Amino acid sequence: MMDYQSLLTDCIRDIKPSGIRRFFDIAAEMDDVISLSIGEPDFKTPWHVRQEGIHSLEKGHTHYTSNSGLLSLREGISSYLNRRFGLSYRPKDEILVTVGGSEAIDLCIRSVISSGDEVLIPEPSFVCYEPITRLAGGTPVIIETKAENQFRLTPQELKEKITPKTKLLILPYPNNPTGAIMRREDLEGIAQVLRETNILVLSDEIYGELTYNQNGHTSIAQIDGMQERTVLVSGFSKAYAMTGWRLGYLCGPAPLVAAMTKLHQYAIMSAPTTAQYAAIEAIRNGDEDIVHMRDEYNMRRRLLVDGLNRLGLSCFEPEGAFYCFPSIQSTGLTSEEFCEQLLYTQHVAVVPGTAFGGCGEGFVRVSYCYSTNHLIEALHRIERFIEDHKGRKSHA
Amino acid sequence: MDKLLKLLDENARLTNAQLASMLGMTEQDVADKIKELEKDGVIRGYKPIVNWEKAGRECVTALIELKVTPKRDLGFDEIARTILAFDEVESVYLMSGGYDLAVTVNGKTFQELAMFVAKRLSPLDSVLSTATHFILTRYKERGIALNDVPTDERRFFEL
């Protein structure tokens, strides 16, 4: 008999499975669940983009591409980053096309982190940074961002966690799950702390295009002196509704990109070819699609934020991504209790804030990548839940 | 203004409060705008999209192609106005191409519609010819699929 447990490394064994598995099982038993718990666009990939994927297949482009990705795609990414953010990256050796933003994150962490290195991770945030750091032998150092700072990372919080072992700062903005963004002046403050150090920034800007304030998204790479110490990670999934195509990219200093390309070459070979051809079309001619989808998300965002605030689930204004992060403290419930009871009694699924780090306690993540009608119905149900809960509380 | 109309076009039952939230306006502003749009005749009415088959009502619709003689000075407007005044008529469009007016007509039975064409439409002075096409199945009406419920193939939970 094989003893599989003894085959596994301590590290992989110690990684906890996702905290929301339990909710998934409960919801699977119900047939009228309204879900507000997904992190991907409801839009389909714009037709002209899909068509380019189809054309590439018709023409027989079914082989590997160069390890770094098609040069014309890297050129497209370079010119996009230039026209949108005034950044300049050389297509030849400063851009690598990856399998989603996720692979880019993995490559970056594994290329720079080894045993004893510390990685600063602001939380609440997406769930992959910590396990990947651990797998690389590094030590995750959590920075708990606060609701009163609108979940932005402050220079002070950053400074307090820096040690001689600190090698990498993850900068996950616009943020999943909070919807927080870092404005230019916030980034200036972070830059000021980092400029004197040898700390690298992994800036996960996958939601960059989904920023709803007037100035739009600012990348930390735009701040003076920061491009040379930043690996910018982004991709096509959120901006162009291309989650299933699995295509992202990273941009950074050539010596780092060369190292990450080695890892990518051995682990992945190259990103999917069909997706790369479709992405060329997206990045060249997809600006209008982004505007259209962003406008749509923005209306839903306002509807949901207003709706939740009206129900007493106070919600700071999320300026990015497609999530709200309301406080549920007025109910007296923990995040997990709130989500579980809401699911059992009203069949509405939202994600406990604690799934994104301990400091998410007292909050839940509500996604608005759903139709208005879906959101309105969900708000009705949440309202019933709050009323019933109040009733029960005053009864007790 | 455009955004307000677009939202109402998608769902005319959104409340003023919901519209106000989505558009970043006050409820009063929304109410005023809608009133203005109604007064100016930009918004002509609000109707649900009904799957009558499901509602259990017998209903037949025909699309009738009409060739007509336009009148001097009045063009097609006069005959179009005459036709749109019939209660049975749901829509009247002036068309480019092989015929002039496209008219959709509702009735309870095929017989009823046939009689309407024979007795009311065809005898009109300007009408040269008619071709009646009965609608057999309605799949989609004003952007909404009547029978297919859209499915969400996304996974249920995702972080």
Side-chain angles (χ1 to χ4, degrees):
Chain A
M1 268 267 272
M2 290 289 290
D3 178 3
Y4 297 114
Q5 288 309 312
S6 74
L7 287 176
L8 296 172
T9 64
D10 291 345
C11 191
I12 196 75
R13 218 181 298 129
D14 290 347
I15 291 177
K16 287 188 228 68
S18 163
I20 54 166
R21 187 67 234 172
R22 188 165 81 78
F23 293 99
F24 191 94
D25 294 338
I26 300 171
E29 303 290 307
M30 301 170 172
D31 58 1
D32 61 342
V33 179
I34 288 216
S35 169
L36 297 178
S37 47
I38 304 186
E40 67 171 309
D42 57 325
F43 296 103
K44 292 191 183 78
T45 306
W47 176 243
H48 64 106
V49 175
R50 282 186 269 165
Q51 217 165 16
E52 282 308 308
I54 295 167
H55 283 165
S56 79
L57 290 172
E58 283 173 348
K59 288 182 212 147
H61 296 318
T62 56
H63 303 280
Y64 297 126
T65 67
S66 89
N67 293 128
S68 307
L70 291 165
L71 181 61
S72 48
L73 175 55
R74 283 177 281 144
E75 284 167 352
I77 292 166
S78 172
S79 105
Y80 159 84
L81 290 171
N82 188 261
R83 76 173 178 271
R84 292 285 290 127
F85 308 110
L87 293 167
S88 69
Y89 284 103
R90 281 193 306 273
K92 212 174 127 274
D93 57 0
E94 293 181 322
I95 298 176
L96 172 63
V97 177
T98 56
V99 180
S102 307
E103 194 218 342
I105 294 165
D106 184 33
L107 292 179
C108 180
I109 296 177
R110 282 201 288 156
S111 299
V112 300
I113 296 305
S114 61
S115 179
D117 296 336
E118 293 182 352
V119 178
L120 302 176
I121 306 175
E123 282 187 349
S125 63
F126 185 53
V127 290
C128 78
Y129 312 115
E130 191 183 326
I132 295 175
T133 299
R134 286 194 192 283
L135 280 170
T139 308
V141 176
I142 304 305
I143 305 176
E144 299 193 339
T145 61
K146 296 181 186 63
E148 67 254 34
N149 298 329
Q150 304 204 302
F151 294 105
R152 290 173 193 171
L153 175 64
T154 67
Q156 192 54 36
E157 289 164 340
L158 173 61
K159 235 184 273 172
E160 282 167 11
K161 297 286 182 170
I162 291 178
T163 75
K165 290 179 180 168
T166 307
K167 224 171 177 187
L168 184 66
L169 164 69
I170 312 279
L171 201 61
Y173 295 93
N175 183 272
N176 169 15
T178 63
I181 63 160
M182 293 285 280
R183 298 184 182 179
R184 181 175 274 275
E185 59 267 30
D186 305 315
L187 293 170
E188 295 277 6
I190 298 302
Q192 215 157 17
V193 177
L194 294 176
R195 271 190 208 107
E196 304 303 311
T197 71
N198 198 43
I199 297 172
L200 183 71
V201 180
L202 163 47
S203 185
D204 182 352
E205 302 177 24
I206 190 76
Y207 291 100
E209 283 290 4
L210 303 179
T211 300
Y212 307 101
N213 67 8
Q214 273 183 338
N215 301 324
H217 175 66
T218 306
S219 169
I220 187 143
Q222 287 170 257
I223 309 297
D224 270 354
M226 288 311 291
Q227 184 166 348
E228 64 191 64
R229 54 186 80 243
T230 297
V231 172
L232 188 167
V233 167
S234 189
F236 296 83
S237 295
K238 317 291 182 181
Y240 302 97
M242 291 180 71
T243 46
W245 299 80
R246 306 309 306 124
L247 208 65
Y249 54 87
L250 60 82
C251 310
L256 293 180
V257 172
M260 293 177 210
T261 307
K262 280 196 283 183
L263 190 47
H264 171 78
Q265 171 189 336
Y266 292 125
I268 301 287
M269 189 76 81
S270 61
T273 302
T274 312
Q276 291 192 49
Y277 278 101
I280 292 173
E281 170 66 15
I283 210 140
R284 280 187 190 158
N285 301 316
D287 288 6
E288 266 177 48
D289 300 301
I290 292 178
V291 172
H292 164 74
M293 289 189 267
R294 182 169 51 218
D295 279 356
E296 193 68 30
Y297 289 131
N298 195 11
M299 284 195 287
R300 300 170 184 183
R301 177 182 75 103
R302 290 193 181 124
L303 179 73
L304 192 60
V305 171
D306 278 6
L308 292 169
N309 275 326
R310 240 172 257 187
L311 298 180
L313 301 180
S314 67
C315 196
F316 86 98
E317 194 187 340
E319 292 182 69
F322 35 51
Y323 312 102
C324 316
F325 204 59
S327 161
I328 48 104
Q329 284 150 33
S330 61
T331 63
L333 298 170
T334 65
S335 297
E336 292 251 341
E337 287 166 348
F338 182 93
C339 294
E340 188 170 334
Q341 291 182 22
L342 181 63
L343 185 55
Y344 271 125
T345 61
Q346 297 296 335
H347 299 188
V348 174
V350 298
V351 182
T354 45
F356 305 93
C359 58
E361 182 54 80
F363 298 87
V364 297
R365 187 191 76 174
V366 187
S367 155
Y368 49 86
C369 30
Y370 296 92
S371 71
T372 338
N373 287 346
H374 187 103
L375 294 176
I376 289 171
E377 170 61 21
L379 280 169
H380 280 313
R381 291 191 191 189
I382 296 172
E383 182 170 14
R384 276 203 297 270
F385 174 75
I386 301 281
E387 295 292 309
D388 289 356
H389 181 73
K390 269 188 207 148
R392 273 201 306 275
K393 247 189 3 191
S394 63
H395 211 72
Chain B
M1 192 73 108
D2 268 3
K3 279 197 177 152
L4 175 61
L5 280 175
K6 199 173 154 272
L7 286 175
L8 286 172
D9 187 51
E10 276 162 20
N11 180 1
R13 296 201 60 189
L14 290 172
T15 64
N16 287 355
Q18 288 161 344
L19 289 165
S21 283
M22 293 169 83
L23 296 168
M25 297 163 68
T26 67
E27 244 180 283
Q28 188 57 50
D29 281 347
V30 170
D32 293 346
K33 283 272 180 241
I34 291 178
K35 204 168 266 173
E36 192 183 316
L37 288 165
E38 288 170 347
K39 196 173 128 253
D40 295 345
V42 177
I43 292 177
R44 299 292 299 170
Y46 306 85
K47 293 172 97 178
I49 292 160
V50 180
N51 183 344
W52 286 112
E53 220 170 280
K54 237 184 187 159
R57 186 206 276 191
E58 300 249 337
C59 179
V60 183
T61 305
L63 174 77
I64 303 161
E65 300 172 1
L66 255 65
K67 287 185 182 162
V68 300
T69 327
K71 286 272 171 65
R72 187 190 303 183
D73 298 337
L74 294 167
F76 293 97
D77 289 354
E78 190 185 35
I79 179 68
R81 286 209 181 94
T82 310
I83 293 171
L84 70 83
F86 293 121
D87 286 342
E88 295 89 337
V89 170
E90 186 186 75
S91 66
V92 182
Y93 305 114
L94 178 63
M95 308 297 288
S96 67
Y99 58 96
D100 303 309
L101 294 176
V103 179
T104 53
V105 182
N106 292 323
K108 283 203 184 74
T109 61
F110 285 96
Q111 183 62 19
E112 195 182 299
L113 284 191
M115 294 307 287
F116 175 78
V117 176
K119 298 225 159 133
R120 315 288 292 271
L121 280 187
S122 300
L124 292 173
D125 270 350
S126 331
V127 172
L128 297 172
S129 71
T130 66
T132 303
H133 309 278
F134 286 103
I135 286 166
L136 302 180
T137 303
R138 292 163 182 270
Y139 292 102
K140 192 176 186 184
E141 202 82 70
R142 293 204 45 204
I144 292 182
L146 290 190
N147 288 304
D148 302 339
V149 180
T151 52
D152 191 339
E153 64 172 24
R154 293 176 296 170
R155 300 182 305 167
F156 205 85
F157 274 97
E158 229 166 58
L159 294 175

